[in-house]
Amino acid sequence: MYQHHPLPGPRSDGEQPDHAVAILSVEGHSPGVRIVDVNTDYQRLWGGTREEWLGAVPIVVQQQAVNQQIFTQLHDALNLLSQDSRNTFEGLGGREVSRRHDGSRMHIEWRISAMGANHHGPMTLVLTQRDVTEQMENEAQLEQLATTDMLTGLVNRARFDAVLKNELNRQHRYARPLSLIMLDIDFFKDINDSHGHDAGDQVLVNLAVLLESNLRRADCCARWGGEEFMLLAPETSLEQAVQLANKIRVAIKTASFPIPGSVTASFGVVEVHPQESVKSVMKRVDNALYLAKEKGRDQVSPIEVLTSAKQA
Protein backbone atom coordinates (compact mmCIF):
# COMPACT_ATOMS: atom_id res chain seq x y z
CA MET A 1 0.00 0.00 0.00
CA TYR A 2 2.75 2.47 0.97
CA GLN A 3 6.30 2.89 -0.25
CA HIS A 4 9.28 2.23 1.97
CA HIS A 5 11.41 5.16 3.18
CA PRO A 6 14.08 3.89 5.59
CA LEU A 7 15.71 7.23 6.42
CA PRO A 8 14.15 10.45 7.72
CA GLY A 9 14.54 13.55 5.60
CA PRO A 10 13.06 15.71 2.85
CA ARG A 11 11.23 14.44 -0.19
CA SER A 12 13.02 14.02 -3.53
CA ASP A 13 11.88 17.54 -4.50
CA GLY A 14 13.62 18.98 -1.41
CA GLU A 15 10.39 19.70 0.46
CA GLN A 16 9.79 18.56 4.02
CA PRO A 17 7.24 15.75 4.60
CA ASP A 18 3.73 17.08 4.07
CA HIS A 19 1.12 15.00 5.89
CA ALA A 20 2.45 12.06 7.86
CA VAL A 21 -0.29 9.49 8.46
CA ALA A 22 -0.33 6.46 10.75
CA ILE A 23 -3.31 4.09 11.08
CA LEU A 24 -3.61 2.98 14.70
CA SER A 25 -5.37 0.12 16.42
CA VAL A 26 -6.46 0.51 20.02
CA GLU A 27 -8.61 -1.42 22.46
CA GLY A 28 -11.06 0.77 24.36
CA HIS A 29 -10.21 -0.96 27.66
CA SER A 30 -6.47 -0.95 27.12
CA PRO A 31 -3.90 1.84 26.93
CA GLY A 32 -2.06 -0.05 24.19
CA VAL A 33 -1.86 1.79 20.86
CA ARG A 34 -0.16 0.13 17.90
CA ILE A 35 0.51 1.07 14.30
CA VAL A 36 -1.40 -0.82 11.60
CA ASP A 37 0.03 1.11 8.64
CA VAL A 38 1.99 4.29 7.84
CA ASN A 39 2.39 6.39 4.74
CA THR A 40 5.63 7.48 3.11
CA ASP A 41 5.64 10.90 4.79
CA TYR A 42 5.45 9.25 8.22
CA GLN A 43 8.55 7.24 7.32
CA ARG A 44 10.26 10.41 6.07
CA LEU A 45 9.34 12.27 9.25
CA TRP A 46 10.50 9.65 11.76
CA GLY A 47 12.66 7.26 9.73
CA GLY A 48 12.33 3.49 9.50
CA THR A 49 10.51 1.27 7.01
CA ARG A 50 6.83 0.43 6.94
CA GLU A 51 7.62 -3.11 8.14
CA GLU A 52 9.54 -1.73 11.13
CA TRP A 53 6.59 0.44 12.13
CA LEU A 54 3.91 -2.25 11.91
CA GLY A 55 2.88 -3.15 15.46
CA ALA A 56 5.09 -0.43 16.98
CA VAL A 57 4.02 2.38 19.30
CA PRO A 58 3.54 5.55 17.22
CA ILE A 59 5.56 8.73 17.69
CA VAL A 60 3.41 11.79 18.10
CA VAL A 61 6.32 13.95 19.22
CA GLN A 62 9.97 13.04 19.84
CA GLN A 63 9.75 13.61 23.59
CA GLN A 64 8.99 10.56 25.70
CA ALA A 65 7.20 12.40 28.51
CA VAL A 66 4.99 14.39 26.13
CA ASN A 67 4.28 11.31 24.02
CA GLN A 68 3.20 9.39 27.12
CA GLN A 69 1.00 12.26 28.27
CA ILE A 70 -0.78 12.31 24.91
CA PHE A 71 -1.49 8.57 25.06
CA THR A 72 -2.74 8.91 28.63
CA GLN A 73 -5.21 11.57 27.45
CA LEU A 74 -6.22 9.30 24.60
CA HIS A 75 -6.76 6.38 26.97
CA ASP A 76 -8.90 8.53 29.28
CA ALA A 77 -10.99 9.81 26.38
CA LEU A 78 -11.59 6.29 25.04
CA ASN A 79 -12.50 5.02 28.50
CA LEU A 80 -15.39 7.47 28.56
CA LEU A 81 -16.83 5.67 25.53
CA SER A 82 -17.00 2.40 27.41
CA GLN A 83 -18.66 4.03 30.42
CA ASP A 84 -21.50 5.77 28.60
CA SER A 85 -22.81 5.00 25.12
CA ARG A 86 -23.84 8.63 24.70
CA ASN A 87 -20.20 9.75 24.75
CA THR A 88 -18.36 10.29 21.48
CA PHE A 89 -14.68 10.54 20.72
CA GLU A 90 -14.04 14.05 19.40
CA GLY A 91 -10.37 13.47 18.78
CA LEU A 92 -7.20 15.00 20.19
CA GLY A 93 -4.76 17.46 18.67
CA GLY A 94 -2.19 20.13 19.28
CA ARG A 95 1.21 21.57 18.44
CA GLU A 96 4.38 20.37 20.10
CA VAL A 97 8.09 21.11 19.89
CA SER A 98 10.01 18.06 18.77
CA ARG A 99 13.45 17.14 17.45
CA ARG A 100 14.62 15.93 14.07
CA HIS A 101 17.14 13.12 13.84
CA ASP A 102 19.92 15.70 13.37
CA GLY A 103 18.95 17.31 16.70
CA SER A 104 17.37 20.44 15.22
CA ARG A 105 14.08 21.70 16.62
CA MET A 106 10.84 21.35 14.73
CA HIS A 107 7.19 22.15 15.45
CA ILE A 108 4.74 19.30 14.91
CA GLU A 109 1.01 19.86 14.41
CA TRP A 110 -0.85 16.61 15.10
CA ARG A 111 -4.33 15.18 15.41
CA ILE A 112 -5.74 11.79 16.38
CA SER A 113 -9.26 11.07 15.15
CA ALA A 114 -11.50 8.03 14.79
CA MET A 115 -11.76 6.26 11.45
CA GLY A 116 -15.45 5.77 10.75
CA ALA A 117 -18.19 5.87 13.38
CA ASN A 118 -17.38 5.71 17.07
CA HIS A 119 -18.05 2.34 18.66
CA HIS A 120 -17.19 0.60 21.88
CA GLY A 121 -15.08 -2.31 20.74
CA PRO A 122 -11.62 -2.23 19.16
CA MET A 123 -11.16 1.12 17.40
CA THR A 124 -9.18 2.24 14.41
CA LEU A 125 -7.68 5.70 14.74
CA VAL A 126 -5.85 7.99 12.35
CA LEU A 127 -2.82 10.00 13.44
CA THR A 128 -2.00 12.87 11.08
CA GLN A 129 1.04 15.09 11.50
CA ARG A 130 2.61 18.08 9.77
CA ASP A 131 5.97 19.74 10.23
CA VAL A 132 4.88 23.38 10.70
CA THR A 133 8.33 24.71 11.65
CA GLU A 134 8.56 27.07 8.68
CA GLN A 135 5.06 28.41 9.36
CA MET A 136 5.87 28.99 13.03
CA GLU A 137 9.16 30.70 12.15
CA ASN A 138 7.39 32.95 9.64
CA GLU A 139 4.78 33.87 12.24
CA ALA A 140 7.53 34.65 14.76
CA GLN A 141 9.31 36.81 12.19
CA LEU A 142 6.12 38.73 11.43
CA GLU A 143 5.55 39.20 15.16
CA GLN A 144 9.08 40.55 15.53
CA LEU A 145 8.61 42.94 12.62
CA ALA A 146 5.36 44.20 14.14
CA THR A 147 6.92 44.83 17.56
CA THR A 148 10.45 45.99 16.70
CA ASP A 149 11.80 49.39 15.67
CA MET A 150 13.43 48.77 12.31
CA LEU A 151 16.30 51.23 12.77
CA THR A 152 17.50 50.44 16.29
CA GLY A 153 16.20 46.91 16.83
CA LEU A 154 14.61 47.98 20.11
CA VAL A 155 11.02 47.34 21.10
CA ASN A 156 8.72 49.76 19.25
CA ARG A 157 6.08 52.03 20.72
CA ALA A 158 3.17 49.64 20.16
CA ARG A 159 4.93 46.77 21.92
CA PHE A 160 6.10 49.02 24.74
CA ASP A 161 2.51 50.15 25.35
CA ALA A 162 1.49 46.51 25.85
CA VAL A 163 4.45 45.79 28.17
CA LEU A 164 3.71 48.91 30.22
CA LYS A 165 0.06 47.94 30.67
CA ASN A 166 1.05 44.44 31.79
CA GLU A 167 3.60 45.76 34.28
CA LEU A 168 1.11 48.30 35.63
CA ASN A 169 -1.41 45.51 36.19
CA ARG A 170 1.22 43.50 38.03
CA GLN A 171 2.17 46.54 40.12
CA HIS A 172 -1.49 47.10 41.01
CA ARG A 173 -1.88 43.49 42.17
CA TYR A 174 1.34 43.06 44.12
CA ALA A 175 2.29 46.64 45.07
CA ARG A 176 5.85 46.19 43.85
CA PRO A 177 8.01 49.19 42.87
CA LEU A 178 7.97 50.10 39.19
CA SER A 179 9.73 53.06 37.58
CA LEU A 180 9.69 54.67 34.17
CA ILE A 181 12.48 56.65 32.52
CA MET A 182 12.01 58.80 29.44
CA LEU A 183 15.08 60.20 27.71
CA ASP A 184 15.58 62.51 24.78
CA ILE A 185 18.81 63.24 22.88
CA ASP A 186 19.72 66.91 23.32
CA PHE A 187 19.79 69.10 20.20
CA PHE A 188 19.19 66.13 17.92
CA LYS A 189 17.85 68.40 15.17
CA ASP A 190 21.22 70.17 15.12
CA ILE A 191 22.95 66.78 14.67
CA ASN A 192 20.81 66.04 11.61
CA ASP A 193 21.22 69.54 10.20
CA SER A 194 25.00 69.64 10.69
CA HIS A 195 26.02 66.08 9.91
CA GLY A 196 23.15 64.63 7.87
CA HIS A 197 20.38 62.19 8.62
CA ASP A 198 22.60 59.15 8.06
CA ALA A 199 24.86 60.32 10.89
CA GLY A 200 21.79 61.03 12.99
CA ASP A 201 20.50 57.50 12.37
CA GLN A 202 23.85 56.04 13.40
CA VAL A 203 23.73 58.04 16.63
CA LEU A 204 20.34 56.46 17.36
CA VAL A 205 21.66 52.97 16.59
CA ASN A 206 24.73 53.45 18.80
CA LEU A 207 22.59 54.85 21.59
CA ALA A 208 20.28 51.82 21.44
CA VAL A 209 23.26 49.49 21.88
CA LEU A 210 24.51 51.58 24.81
CA LEU A 211 21.09 51.53 26.50
CA GLU A 212 20.68 47.76 26.22
CA SER A 213 24.18 47.18 27.59
CA ASN A 214 23.35 49.19 30.72
CA LEU A 215 20.00 47.56 31.53
CA ARG A 216 19.01 44.39 33.33
CA ARG A 217 17.29 41.53 31.55
CA ALA A 218 13.98 42.36 33.25
CA ASP A 219 14.05 45.98 32.02
CA CYS A 220 12.34 46.99 28.79
CA CYS A 221 13.93 49.53 26.46
CA ALA A 222 11.98 51.04 23.57
CA ARG A 223 12.36 53.68 20.93
CA TRP A 224 9.40 55.91 21.65
CA GLY A 225 9.71 58.02 18.52
CA GLY A 226 12.31 60.20 16.84
CA GLU A 227 15.08 60.75 19.36
CA GLU A 228 12.99 59.75 22.41
CA PHE A 229 13.45 56.47 24.27
CA MET A 230 11.61 54.76 27.13
CA LEU A 231 13.04 52.55 29.85
CA LEU A 232 10.72 50.49 32.05
CA ALA A 233 12.35 49.21 35.22
CA PRO A 234 10.38 46.64 37.30
CA GLU A 235 11.24 46.14 40.97
CA THR A 236 12.92 49.56 40.93
CA SER A 237 12.19 52.47 43.27
CA LEU A 238 12.39 56.13 42.27
CA GLU A 239 15.79 56.50 43.96
CA GLN A 240 17.16 53.44 42.17
CA ALA A 241 15.74 54.63 38.84
CA VAL A 242 17.41 58.03 39.27
CA GLN A 243 20.73 56.28 39.89
CA LEU A 244 20.21 54.18 36.76
CA ALA A 245 19.33 57.25 34.70
CA ASN A 246 22.42 59.09 35.91
CA LYS A 247 24.58 56.08 35.09
CA ILE A 248 23.21 56.05 31.54
CA ARG A 249 23.49 59.83 31.22
CA VAL A 250 27.22 59.70 32.04
CA ALA A 251 27.72 56.71 29.73
CA ILE A 252 26.13 58.63 26.83
CA LYS A 253 28.16 61.78 27.51
CA THR A 254 31.44 59.88 27.57
CA ALA A 255 30.70 57.49 24.69
CA SER A 256 32.10 57.86 21.18
CA PHE A 257 29.53 58.62 18.49
CA PRO A 258 30.07 59.02 14.73
CA ILE A 259 30.05 62.82 14.98
CA PRO A 260 32.53 65.36 16.43
CA GLY A 261 32.04 66.26 20.07
CA SER A 262 29.88 64.59 22.68
CA VAL A 263 26.24 63.58 22.61
CA THR A 264 24.11 64.25 25.69
CA ALA A 265 20.58 63.33 26.74
CA SER A 266 17.98 64.57 29.21
CA PHE A 267 16.01 62.23 31.47
CA GLY A 268 12.63 62.28 33.19
CA VAL A 269 12.11 59.70 35.94
CA VAL A 270 8.97 58.68 37.82
CA GLU A 271 7.88 55.81 40.06
CA VAL A 272 4.41 54.48 39.37
CA HIS A 273 1.83 55.36 42.03
CA PRO A 274 -0.60 52.76 43.44
CA GLN A 275 -3.50 52.18 41.01
CA GLU A 276 -2.10 54.80 38.63
CA SER A 277 -3.33 54.79 35.03
CA VAL A 278 -1.12 54.58 31.94
CA LYS A 279 -2.20 58.07 30.92
CA SER A 280 -1.22 59.52 34.30
CA VAL A 281 2.23 57.93 34.50
CA MET A 282 3.00 58.91 30.90
CA LYS A 283 2.04 62.52 31.58
CA ARG A 284 4.21 62.65 34.69
CA VAL A 285 7.31 61.22 33.00
CA ASP A 286 6.82 63.56 30.05
CA ASN A 287 6.59 66.50 32.45
CA ALA A 288 9.71 65.35 34.28
CA LEU A 289 11.62 65.19 30.99
CA TYR A 290 10.41 68.71 30.16
CA LEU A 291 11.87 69.97 33.44
CA ALA A 292 15.23 68.33 32.69
CA LYS A 293 15.27 70.18 29.37
CA GLU A 294 14.27 73.42 31.06
CA LYS A 295 17.06 73.06 33.63
CA GLY A 296 19.69 73.11 30.87
CA ARG A 297 19.66 69.58 29.39
CA ASP A 298 22.09 66.75 30.19
CA GLN A 299 20.05 66.41 33.39
CA VAL A 300 18.06 63.79 35.28
CA SER A 301 14.77 65.07 36.67
CA PRO A 302 12.72 62.98 39.11
CA ILE A 303 10.11 65.71 39.68
CA GLU A 304 6.67 64.16 40.23
CA VAL A 305 4.25 66.98 39.43
CA LEU A 306 4.65 69.94 37.13
CA THR A 307 2.19 72.53 35.94
CA SER A 308 4.23 73.98 33.09
CA ALA A 309 3.31 73.11 29.53
CA LYS A 310 5.16 70.53 27.46
CA GLN A 311 8.11 71.86 25.49
CA ALA A 312 7.55 71.87 21.75
Side-chain angles (χ1 to χ4, degrees):
M1 178 179 179
Y2 293 116
Q3 301 176 14
H4 295 188
H5 197 89
L7 297 175
R11 303 189 315 223
S12 58
D13 58 6
E15 294 294 324
Q16 291 299 320
D18 187 14
H19 279 83
V21 178
I23 309 301
L24 314 177
S25 176
V26 58
E27 293 287 341
H29 297 283
S30 169
V33 180
R34 294 293 183 267
I35 289 179
V36 175
D37 209 346
V38 295
N39 74 346
T40 304
D41 276 342
Y42 189 91
Q43 297 168 62
R44 286 195 179 100
L45 186 63
W46 302 116
T49 65
R50 173 175 176 268
E51 286 72 18
E52 290 171 333
W53 280 112
L54 297 182
V57 176
I59 294 177
V60 180
V61 60
Q62 195 73 279
Q63 294 184 47
Q64 185 175 355
V66 177
N67 221 45
Q68 184 57 49
Q69 184 180 27
I70 290 171
F71 287 128
T72 298
Q73 293 174 1
L74 176 63
H75 176 52
D76 292 343
L78 295 179
N79 269 346
L80 291 177
L81 294 178
S82 63
Q83 296 170 10
D84 190 337
S85 60
R86 294 170 297 181
N87 291 327
T88 59
F89 177 60
E90 302 294 340
L92 299 174
R95 282 185 180 179
E96 309 290 345
V97 176
S98 187
R99 295 281 178 184
R100 298 187 178 91
H101 282 251
D102 62 4
S104 61
R105 284 163 56 97
M106 67 174 171
H107 295 268
I108 291 291
E109 184 176 77
W110 62 273
R111 182 160 184 81
I112 299 175
S113 54
M115 177 180 285
N118 289 319
H119 50 83
H120 302 284
M123 291 187 66
T124 300
L125 303 176
V126 180
L127 166 63
T128 57
Q129 297 165 296
R130 285 196 310 139
D131 182 347
V132 293
T133 307
E134 184 176 355
Q135 175 186 337
M136 296 289 286
E137 290 175 348
N138 289 341
E139 290 174 358
Q141 185 176 20
L142 290 174
E143 173 68 15
Q144 183 177 16
L145 290 173
T147 59
T148 303
D149 177 66
M150 296 302 295
L151 176 64
T152 63
L154 297 177
V155 168
N156 65 15
R157 184 167 183 160
R159 177 58 181 164
F160 185 82
D161 281 341
V163 173
L164 177 58
K165 289 176 183 176
N166 288 337
E167 286 296 330
L168 280 176
N169 289 335
R170 192 174 74 90
Q171 193 264 359
H172 294 165
R173 288 196 304 271
Y174 304 112
R176 302 299 301 165
L178 174 66
S179 292
L180 185 63
I181 302 171
M182 186 176 189
L183 69 102
D184 181 277
I185 300 175
D186 297 328
F187 304 111
F188 187 71
K189 183 177 182 301
D190 292 346
I191 293 175
N192 281 332
D193 291 344
S194 300
H195 306 289
H197 287 276
D198 288 345
D201 286 350
Q202 194 57 52
V203 168
L204 295 173
V205 171
N206 289 12
L207 178 59
V209 173
L210 185 151
L211 292 174
E212 288 198 307
S213 67
N214 280 277
L215 296 177
R216 304 162 302 179
R217 180 170 295 182
D219 299 333
C220 180
C221 180
R223 185 183 180 196
W224 190 245
E227 67 273 22
E228 292 182 333
F229 295 80
M230 284 286 191
L231 311 176
L232 185 63
E235 302 294 330
T236 305
S237 66
L238 179 63
E239 181 181 359
Q240 292 169 328
V242 169
Q243 292 175 355
L244 174 61
N246 263 314
K247 172 188 172 184
I248 296 172
R249 182 189 65 81
V250 172
I252 294 172
K253 190 173 184 177
T254 57
S256 296
F257 287 91
I259 59 172
S262 63
V263 173
T264 64
S266 301
F267 295 74
V269 185
V270 297
E271 182 177 352
V272 176
H273 292 160
Q275 303 304 313
E276 186 172 16
S277 67
V278 171
K279 182 177 180 180
S280 172
V281 70
M282 290 303 302
K283 180 175 177 57
R284 289 196 301 112
V285 77
D286 191 50
N287 287 339
L289 175 60
Y290 167 76
L291 183 64
K293 293 282 191 180
E294 206 173 48
K295 288 163 59 178
R297 295 178 169 80
D298 190 23
Q299 304 279 334
V300 173
S301 170
I303 292 297
E304 295 286 340
V305 179
L306 292 169
T307 57
S308 52
K310 179 182 175 183
Q311 180 176 345

